[in-house]
Amino acid sequence: MNAPEHVRAAASSMAPAVTSLDMIRRLVAFPTVSRDSNLALIEWVRDYLEGFGATTTLTFDDERRKANLFATLAARDGNATRGGVVLSGHTDVVPVDGQPWDTDPFQATLVGDRLHGRGVADMKSFSAIGLAFVPTFVERGLARPLHFALSYDEEVGCIGVRRLIADVRARGVAPTGCIIGEPTGMQLVVAHKGRRTWRCRVRGHEAHSSLTPRGVNAVQIACDIVAWIGGRAQALRDGHRQDAAYDVPYTTLHVGVIQGGTAVNIVPRDCSFEFEMRYLPLDDPDAFFSELRHFAESRVPAMQAVAPATFIEFDTLSSMTGFDGSNGNAMVDIARDCAQSPLLHKVSFGTEAALFDAASIPAVICGPGHIEQAHQPNEWVRLEQLARCEAFMERLARHLCAR
Ligand SMILES: [Zn+2]
């Protein structure tokens, strides 16, 4: 194989194979930003896998602009549904608009011991290395099925994979479990927090700012509610309900967006803000939300005494359950062996793992690169991480091909 000079130079002890790098380059070159179609990538991967005898199913979004791919390499005895492992990755990436990139984000580029490109960490490298290992899996002969699950619209709320999972369930495919290759530094993650997001809308009453008692200041009331959320966040940080296995060991609350008012000399009529809770299994988002609502409602009589049309309303924007496999299951055992990771980790960011888990497909998260580099300009992954991912696949091949 004629590897380019810079690839051979990097081929030290902890460098990935050229086939893996080629596959990563190929996937990164499809500009699959969530708002755009991913069909070119999906069709290319489908054709590649069918070339190795895989059976494939596409599930589409309503406009048929995007698709999930579920592909199965059956075991030698023809078993395509019982046991085995799913390698799962989302195909979409976040936009690069307005970000200062030093290289073309859609050309994976070696810079020293790092590969730069949109999606190299989050999360095309894991899928690419799995795909690059397909010839190895097939040559050695699978004793159990191997599946690929490539989804669309993960970055905008884990939307696409729901259809893939429903289809897999409907067809009676029952894998031992699923490995989600989100960037964990190749550490084995077996739990993540749940997340809920809401919007609060405060309707006040406009008045000239020299006559504040005749108005209802929506910005002020919204800020009182924001302050209440801040106080609750501090209590959670200082409280006893903590789990040290998480990167942030307690439930967090956070206000990310606030909009209100039009001019400094007008008592503002409207203010809205959006906030989230990332919660441990120990904490109940419904209980938090009903207390918050109670606090907000206590403000309404005074508002309506000034102007009857005022109100405080809430909308739930999104809801993602957490999952926790730290008590162990067959998938955790396999992944623990493949990752050579004695410690089980827990993280605060959400993934598709919770959705697989809820559909009785136990999931773990393990992939190359780090979440700190995800969504950033000059997103990168170290070659050493890619080599670790290859070592993981090698051990997985031993497991899947063992008689
Ligand atoms: Zn991701």
Side-chain angles (χ1 to χ4, degrees):
M1 188 165 303
N2 280 324
E5 193 63 46
H6 57 282
V7 173
R8 260 184 286 139
S12 60
S13 57
M14 278 310 264
V18 174
T19 47
S20 298
L21 288 174
D22 280 349
M23 189 64 81
I24 296 169
R25 285 200 179 91
R26 223 176 253 282
L27 297 194
V28 169
F30 292 103
T32 48
V33 175
S34 306
R35 63 177 175 237
D36 300 322
S37 172
N38 72 340
L39 289 180
L41 183 153
I42 288 290
E43 286 165 4
W44 187 86
V45 174
R46 178 195 61 194
D47 294 348
Y48 169 84
L49 287 171
E50 285 182 351
F52 290 95
T55 54
T56 61
T57 310
L58 301 193
T59 42
F60 290 88
D61 72 339
D62 289 340
E63 291 81 40
R64 291 184 81 87
R65 285 177 62 238
K66 302 173 191 173
N68 303 301
L69 168 66
F70 190 78
T72 299
L73 290 157
R76 280 174 308 226
D77 64 3
N79 170 23
T81 55
R82 286 168 288 108
V85 167
V86 183
L87 299 181
S88 169
H90 61 82
T91 61
D92 58 320
V93 294
V94 295
V96 297
D97 308 70
Q99 291 189 341
W101 281 75
D102 297 325
T103 60
D104 180 347
F106 298 107
Q107 290 292 320
T109 307
L110 265 177
V111 179
D113 66 346
R114 299 170 175 180
L115 194 63
H116 287 229
R118 173 55 85 226
V120 294
D122 186 13
M123 57 159 290
K124 287 178 168 174
S125 292
F126 174 83
S127 310
I129 291 171
L131 292 169
F133 260 77
V134 164
T136 307
F137 290 125
V138 170
E139 253 164 50
R140 293 196 197 164
L142 288 163
R144 305 163 179 78
L146 171 65
H147 311 278
F148 283 88
L150 300 186
S151 64
Y152 66 88
D153 278 357
E154 189 272 350
E155 295 287 4
V156 290
C158 294
I159 292 168
V161 77
R162 296 166 201 260
R163 291 185 180 190
L164 180 149
I165 291 171
D167 171 70
V168 165
R169 297 284 294 161
R171 288 189 293 115
V173 181
T176 300
C178 175
I179 304 166
I180 317 274
E182 293 279 359
T184 65
M186 291 309 298
Q187 301 291 315
L188 187 58
V189 170
V190 296
H192 65 64
K193 291 178 183 172
R195 178 176 185 244
R196 203 68 77 80
T197 62
W198 299 271
R199 180 189 297 119
C200 174
R201 291 177 284 117
V202 180
R203 167 65 50 84
H205 183 70
E206 275 172 327
H208 190 284
S209 64
S210 65
L211 302 170
T212 55
R214 297 188 195 169
V216 176
N217 189 321
V219 167
Q220 191 61 56
I221 291 159
C223 287
D224 293 346
I225 301 170
V226 169
W228 188 92
I229 294 170
R232 190 46 65 97
Q234 263 177 35
L236 287 164
R237 184 196 65 193
D238 301 336
H240 296 296
R241 287 199 305 276
Q242 306 224 347
D243 182 342
Y246 282 91
D247 45 0
V248 177
Y250 45 87
T251 294
T252 56
L253 290 161
H254 146 92
V255 179
V257 178
I258 188 163
Q259 278 160 336
T262 54
V264 74
N265 58 1
I266 302 173
V267 174
R269 188 179 76 139
D270 287 301
C271 188
S272 71
F273 63 93
E274 294 175 19
F275 59 106
E276 69 161 27
M277 180 183 216
R278 288 179 188 257
Y279 58 96
L280 302 178
L282 303 158
D283 285 313
D284 178 3
D286 292 322
F288 158 78
F289 183 60
S290 74
E291 278 181 65
L292 172 66
R293 234 194 155 109
H294 187 74
F295 172 76
E297 276 162 8
S298 73
R299 306 296 308 265
V300 174
M303 294 162 66
Q304 294 189 338
V306 178
T310 56
F311 59 77
I312 302 173
E313 283 179 0
F314 292 92
D315 311 306
T316 298
L317 300 179
S318 71
S319 175
M320 179 68 161
T321 55
F323 87 107
D324 190 345
S326 60
N327 287 331
N329 57 53
M331 187 65 245
V332 170
D333 293 342
I334 296 167
R336 198 175 214 162
D337 180 48
C338 295
Q340 306 259 286
S341 166
L343 289 178
L344 302 178
H345 299 265
K346 303 180 180 184
V347 294
S348 299
F349 60 88
T351 74
E352 294 173 342
L355 297 171
F356 280 99
D357 209 73
S360 306
I361 303 173
V364 298
I365 311 162
C366 187
H370 299 278
I371 198 74
E372 290 82 357
Q373 275 82 53
H375 303 194
Q376 299 281 333
N378 296 328
E379 177 177 347
W380 53 265
V381 64
R382 261 187 225 290
L383 296 183
E384 165 266 342
Q385 282 288 307
L386 302 179
R388 271 182 210 279
C389 185
E390 286 182 328
F392 181 102
M393 292 295 171
E394 172 60 37
R395 288 186 284 264
L396 181 66
R398 274 181 235 160
H399 165 77
L400 289 172
C401 301
R403 276 153 218 276

